Amino acid sequence: MTQRILITEFMDEAAVAQLARDFEVHYDPTLVDRPAELLERAAGVAALIVRNRTQVRGELLAALGAAKVIGRLGVGLDNIDVAAAEGRGLRVIPATGANALAVAEYVIATAFLLRRGAFLSSTAVAAGQWPRAALSDGGELGGRTLGLIGFGSIGQLSARLARGLGLKVIAHDPAISDSAELWAQAGVAPRALDALLGEADIVSLHLPLLPSTRNLIDAARLAQFNPGAILINTARGGVVDEAALAEALKAGRLGGAALDVFGEEPLPAGSPLADAPNLILTPHIAGVTRESNTRVSALIADAVAAALQEASNVAA
C-alpha cells in the first residue's frame, strides 16, 4: 500500500511533485485554516509536512497514530510538541540552514532602511513634496555595531554579511563558550547579554521561544539599549514584549524596529504596535523567498522520503 503524506501549508510545487512520484500526497496550502478537515485527513498518514501555523499537538498529534515523521518547512519548532511527538515514535525534521540566507538578508535590509530613514519617501516625492532636509539626517551602517542575540547558523551568516559592510559584530549565546574557536573564526566578539544591549547600535534576535526567552526583551531590557538603537526580530514574537516596545518607540528611546514575528499571528486589531513610529512590520516572511522556499522544500522532501523509506526497511 502506498504511504500517504499530508502537506498543510505552502510548499514548492517541484518538491510536492517529487514526493508524489513515490507517495500518495494530499497537498492543500489552506488546510491549516480548516482544523476539522485537517484532523480527518491526518488519520492514517505516514508523514505530515507543515510550516509554522499548523499546531502539531493535542488532537492533531493524537490523530497521527500511523505517522512516522513530521517535516517542518522552517527551523522553529514551537508549533510542534516535539517531546510528545518523539514519545509517540515520530521523527521531527526541521529544515535547518535552508532559509538562513533569506533571514540574514532581511536583517541587513531592515537595518539599512531603519538607519537611513529615507527609503519610504516615494509617495511624498511623487506627490510633489521635497522632504530633503527632514530626510538628510539618516545614518550609515558602516562603523556601527551589530549585536546578535543567538549565534546559530542564521546569526553567523548575518554576522558575515554585516562584517562585509564594515560593521563591528558582537553576539550573545549562552550555549557557546566564550573560549570557543567559533568566535575568532567568525570575527565576532562574545558578550554578556546586558553588555551587548548597552553597546550595540542594532540588536537582532536569533533564538528560540522557550520559557527562559519569553519576553526576554521587556521594558527593563529595552531601557538598557543605546539611545537611538534599532531592534530587529526575525526569531519568535513571544521573545519581545510588544507593548513595552511600542512605548519605547513612541517615547523616542529607540531609533526604530523591524518585526517579522508576533506573539499572536496575524497581528490582532488594536495591537499597541499599530501606531508606533519608525516600525517595519512584515507577516512572518523573513525566511521565505523564492530561492529559500525551493531549498527548504527540497530539503524536507528528501528528508521525509528518506525517513519513510528507512522506516519501511525496518518494518520489513
Side-chain angles (χ1 to χ4, degrees):
M1 180 182 294
T2 304
Q3 298 184 92
R4 291 194 290 129
I5 297 176
L6 180 63
I7 308 169
T8 67
E9 299 177 67
F10 71 91
M11 187 175 186
D12 183 64
E13 296 282 355
V16 175
Q18 174 188 330
L19 288 170
R21 287 196 291 268
D22 298 309
F23 304 94
E24 180 184 334
V25 174
H26 181 82
Y27 171 52
D28 183 345
T30 67
L31 187 57
V32 62
D33 296 313
R34 301 192 303 280
E37 183 183 346
L38 193 161
L39 280 175
E40 182 180 341
R41 290 191 176 276
V45 301
L48 176 70
I49 297 177
V50 303
R51 282 193 181 267
N52 66 293
R53 293 184 58 219
T54 306
Q55 299 299 308
V56 189
R57 61 185 79 252
E59 283 187 299
L60 179 55
L61 192 54
L64 296 171
K68 303 174 182 66
V69 60
I70 300 168
R72 167 70 169 92
L73 295 162
V75 293
L77 296 174
D78 52 286
N79 62 310
I80 301 172
D81 187 338
V82 176
E86 292 178 342
R88 300 172 69 95
L90 283 119
R91 182 177 173 190
V92 179
I93 305 175
T96 304
N99 66 353
L101 180 60
V103 179
E105 289 189 353
Y106 178 100
V107 171
I108 299 302
T110 53
F112 268 124
L113 284 167
L114 290 165
R115 281 284 301 167
R116 191 66 185 267
F119 299 119
L120 302 177
S121 63
S122 295
T123 301
V125 174
Q129 299 175 39
W130 200 247
R132 189 167 188 266
L135 297 178
S136 295
D137 193 36
E140 299 172 356
L141 282 188
R144 299 293 95 192
T145 297
L146 171 65
L148 300 165
I149 302 180
F151 201 59
S153 60
I154 294 174
Q156 291 170 36
L157 186 48
S158 298
R160 191 184 315 162
L161 296 182
R163 292 185 69 241
L165 292 167
L167 283 89
K168 174 185 176 181
V169 184
I170 59 178
H172 170 74
D173 194 320
I176 304 174
S177 167
D178 284 358
S179 61
E181 291 184 6
L182 173 62
W183 299 116
Q185 293 168 353
V188 173
R191 292 286 190 274
L193 179 57
D194 291 348
L196 180 147
L197 296 178
E199 183 177 349
D201 301 296
I202 303 135
V203 175
S204 186
L205 306 179
H206 302 282
L207 67 172
L209 179 60
L210 303 168
S212 60
T213 63
R214 184 171 293 279
N215 285 333
L216 179 74
I217 306 301
D218 57 8
R221 286 212 165 91
L222 287 166
Q224 295 178 260
F225 277 49
N226 265 331
I230 289 164
L231 173 66
I232 302 171
N233 187 14
T234 58
R236 284 294 179 268
V239 175
V240 174
D241 181 331
E242 293 172 2
L245 174 60
E247 182 181 345
L249 289 168
K250 291 173 184 177
R253 294 195 298 273
L254 295 185
L259 302 181
D260 185 55
V261 288
F262 307 91
E264 182 180 343
E265 298 180 359
L267 190 68
S271 165
L273 297 169
D275 59 348
N278 303 322
L279 179 60
I280 296 170
L281 304 176
T282 54
H284 207 140
I285 48 75
V288 185
T289 61
R290 286 189 299 271
E291 297 87 349
S292 73
N293 186 40
T294 298
R295 292 192 300 269
V296 165
S297 298
L299 186 157
I300 291 301
D302 287 344
V304 166
L308 290 179
Q309 184 59 55
E310 180 182 339
S312 294
N313 292 341
V314 170

